[in-house]
C-alpha cells in the first residue's frame, strides 16, 4: 500500500500545481482548507498534508498559521506566446491518470506549435469549477467528464458544439450504443473515448490455491455460489472468516447488475417479483450462505478484492486499470455474469465535450479526433487494458470469450444500460440508497426492501 499512498498524494500535488501554474489559483489566493481538500478529493488528511508539503518545497505555496494556505504572493507565472489548448478534466479519473498524457503527446507530435494545458477539478462541484474557470478568463477548449456529468451540465442547452458533423467518421466506427448515448435531440454533445460494462472479475490465484475450477463460458449461478463457498475461509485459524468468495458493493453503480440479469426494470414500479428474487439472492450470499462480504457504497474499489481477501467482485475495465496502477498483486480475469437469464449489465463511459466558447473549435476537434484514432485507441488498450469505444479495436485486442464475458460481443451491448437511463435524476440515487439501509445491514427482509424501493420509484 505504500506505493498507492505515494501515488495519491503526488497526484493531488500535481493537480494543485496545475491549478496554480495555469492561473486558476492566483498568487496570494487561498487554497481550499485541508478538510475541504480531503472531502473534494476523497483523501486522508495525511495524504493531503504530504501533497501540500510537496508544493511547499517547490515554493508554490505559503502556510499562514491559523489562516490557511495561500499561493506564494511573489510567484511569477510565465506567460507563453504559443497557442494554448486548455483541457479540463474531472478528478479522480483512472483514464485521465493513465492515458491523458499519451493523448497529449500524440496530439503535440502533429501540432508542435500548440501547448496543451491540462487541469483537473474534483468531481464534486465539477461544473461549478468549470464556470468559475471561465469567469476568470481560463475558458476550457476541451472538457473530459464521466457519462452522467456530461448530461447533467448546467451551462445551458447551446453550451457545447454538436460533434455529429466534425466527428462523423469516428462516431460511425463506434458501437452504436456508445455514439447514441450522448445525443440531445439531434445533436451529439459528447464523444466517448472509453467505456466499460460492469462485469465479474475474479482472482485466479485464489481459485487455483483452493482448487476451485475457474469460470467457464457456461458456468451457472449454482457454480458461482459453490465457488464462493470454497473461497470463503478462515485463513489464520482464529475462528473468524477473513476471506470471502464474493465482495458485494451496495452502490447503485454495482448491485443493479444482478437485478438486470434477473429481468428487473427500474422504470417499472410494478416489477416486484424479479426485484424480490434479486434482493433475496444477495441476502442469501451475505447472511444465509455467508459467502460474501459487503463493501460500503463509497468504496467502489473493493479493498477486499484488491487485497486478495475476496475471490470475485463486480467491477469495470476503467476501475481495474486504476487498481493495476496501484500495483495489484495478481492479474484479474473476466468471468461471465451468471446471475440470471438476461444478458444485461450496466454501462459507464468517459467522454470529451467541446464548449461553444472555446478559443479554437477546429483545434479542439482535432484533439478529440486524435483521442479516437484507431491506432491510439489500440495503443491505449494494449498498455492500460481500457476498452475502446471502437468495435474493431476491441475485436483485435480481446478474444471472443472475453468479449462475451464483457457482454459486448455481437449486439449484446445493446441490452445494457447506463445508470442515468435507469434513474435520470441523480438526486434520487441517494434517496434510493437510503431506502435500502436496513436491508444491507441484514435487518430487513428482501420483500420489505423491495416494497420500499418500489414506493420510492413510484
Amino acid at each position: 500500500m505504500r506505493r498507492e499512498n505515494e501515488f495519491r498524494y503526488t497526484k493531488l500535488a500535481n493537480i494543485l500545481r496545475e491549478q496554480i501554474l495555469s492561473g486558476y489559483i492566483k498568487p496570494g489566493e487561498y487554497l481550499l482548507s485541508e478538510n475541504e481538500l480531503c472531502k473534494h478529493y476523497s483523501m486522508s488528511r495525511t495524504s493531503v498534508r504530504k501533497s501540500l508539503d510537496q508544493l511547499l518545497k517547490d515554493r508554490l505555496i505559503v502556510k499562514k498559521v491559523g489562516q490557511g494556505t495561500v499561493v506564494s504572493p511573489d510567484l511569477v507565472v510565465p506567460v507563453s506566446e504559443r497557442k494554448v489548448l486548455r483541457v479540463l478534466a474531472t478528478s479522480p479519473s483512472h483514464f485521465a491518470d493513465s492515458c491523458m498524457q499519451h493523448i497529449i503527446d500524440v496530439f503535440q507530435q502533429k501540432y508542435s506549435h500548440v501547448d496543451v494545458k491540462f487541469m483537473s477539478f474534483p468531481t464534486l462541484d465539477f461544473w461549478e469549477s468549470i464556470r468559475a474557470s471561465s469567469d476568470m478568463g481560463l475558458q476550457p477548449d476541451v472538457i473530459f467528464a464521466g457519462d452522467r456529468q456530461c448530461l447533467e451540465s448546467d451551462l445551458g442547452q447551446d453550451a457545447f458544439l454538436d460533434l455529429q458533423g466534425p466527428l462523423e467518421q469516428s462516431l460511425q466506427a463506434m458501437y452504436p450504443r456508445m455514439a447514441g448515448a450522448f445525443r440531445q435531440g439531434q445533436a451529439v454533445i459528447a464523444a466517448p473515448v472509453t467505456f466499460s460494462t460492469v462485469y465479474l472479475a475474479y482472482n485466479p490465484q485464489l481459485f487455483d490455491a483452493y482448487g476451485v475450477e475457474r469460470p467457464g463460458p457456461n458456468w451457472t449461478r449454482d457454480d458461482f455460489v459453490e465457488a464462493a463457498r470454497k473461497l470463503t475461509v478462515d485463513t489464520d485459524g482464529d475462528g473468524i472468516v477473513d476471506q470471502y468468495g464474493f465482495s458485494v458493493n451496495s452502490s447503485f453503480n454495482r448491485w443493479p447488475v444482478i437485478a438486470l440479469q434477473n429481468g428487473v426494470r427500474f422504470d417499472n414500479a410494478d416489477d416486484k417479483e424479479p426485484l424480490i428474487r434479486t434482493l433475496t439472492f444477495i441476502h442469501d450470499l451475505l447472511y444465509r450462505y455467508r459467502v460474501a462480504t459487503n463493501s460500503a457504497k463509497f468504496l467502489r474499489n473493493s479493498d477486499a478484492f484488491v487485497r486478495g481477501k475476496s475471490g470475485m467482485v463486480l467491477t469495470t475495465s476503467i476501475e481495474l486499470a486504476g487498481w493495476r496502477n496501484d500495483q495489484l498483486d495478481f492479474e484479474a480475469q473476466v468471468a461471465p455474469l451468471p446471475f440470471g437469464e438476461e444478458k444485461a449489465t450496466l454501462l459507464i463511459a468517459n467522454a470529451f465535450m467541446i464548449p461553444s466558447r472555446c478559443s479554437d473549435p477546429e483545434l479542439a476537434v482535432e484533439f478529440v479526433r486524435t483521442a479516437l484514432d484507431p491506432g491510439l485507441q489500440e495503443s491505449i488498450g494494449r498498455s492500460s487494458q481500457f476498452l475502446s469505444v471502437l468495435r474493431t479495436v476491441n475485436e483485435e485486442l480481446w478474444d471472443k470469450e472475453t468479449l462475451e464475458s464483457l457482454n459486448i460481443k455481437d449486439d449484446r451491448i445493446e441490452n445494457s444500460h447506463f445508470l442515468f437511463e435507469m434513474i435520470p435524476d441523480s438526486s434520487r440515487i441517494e434517496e434510493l440508497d437510503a431506502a435500502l439501509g436496513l436491508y444491507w445491514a441484514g435487518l430487513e427482509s428482501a420483500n420489505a426492501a423491495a416494497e420500499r424501493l418500489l414506493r420510492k420509484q413510484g
Side-chain angles (χ1 to χ4, degrees), residues 21 32 135 200 231 307 379 384:
L21 297 179
L32 294 174
D135 291 344
L200 187 66
L231 294 170
R307 296 171 184 264
S379 175
S384 304

Side-chain angles (χ1 to χ4, degrees), residues 127-201:
W127 289 114
E128 183 178 327
S129 299
I130 295 291
R131 187 183 296 103
S133 172
S134 300
D135 291 344
M136 295 169 57
L138 300 173
Q139 174 62 43
D141 298 300
V142 180
I143 293 173
F144 176 81
D147 51 70
R148 186 180 283 277
Q149 285 175 310
C150 290
L151 298 172
E152 290 188 342
S153 162
D154 57 0
L155 300 184
Q157 189 171 10
D158 299 322
F160 302 99
L161 295 184
D162 178 6
L163 300 177
Q164 176 67 54
L167 294 175
E168 182 177 5
Q169 187 173 353
S170 297
L171 292 170
Q172 287 179 349
M174 291 181 190
Y175 295 93
R177 190 76 180 86
M178 288 296 108
F182 297 93
R183 288 188 180 276
Q184 286 191 346
Q186 297 300 313
V188 176
I189 64 165
V193 66
T194 189
F195 84 102
S196 182
T197 53
V198 177
Y199 57 82
L200 187 66

Side-chain angles (χ1 to χ4, degrees), residues 85 139-142 159 161 354-362 364-365:
L85 188 77
Q139 174 62 43
D141 298 300
V142 180
L161 295 184
I354 300 178
S356 301
R357 294 170 54 196
C358 75
S359 61
D360 192 328
E362 291 185 4
V365 167

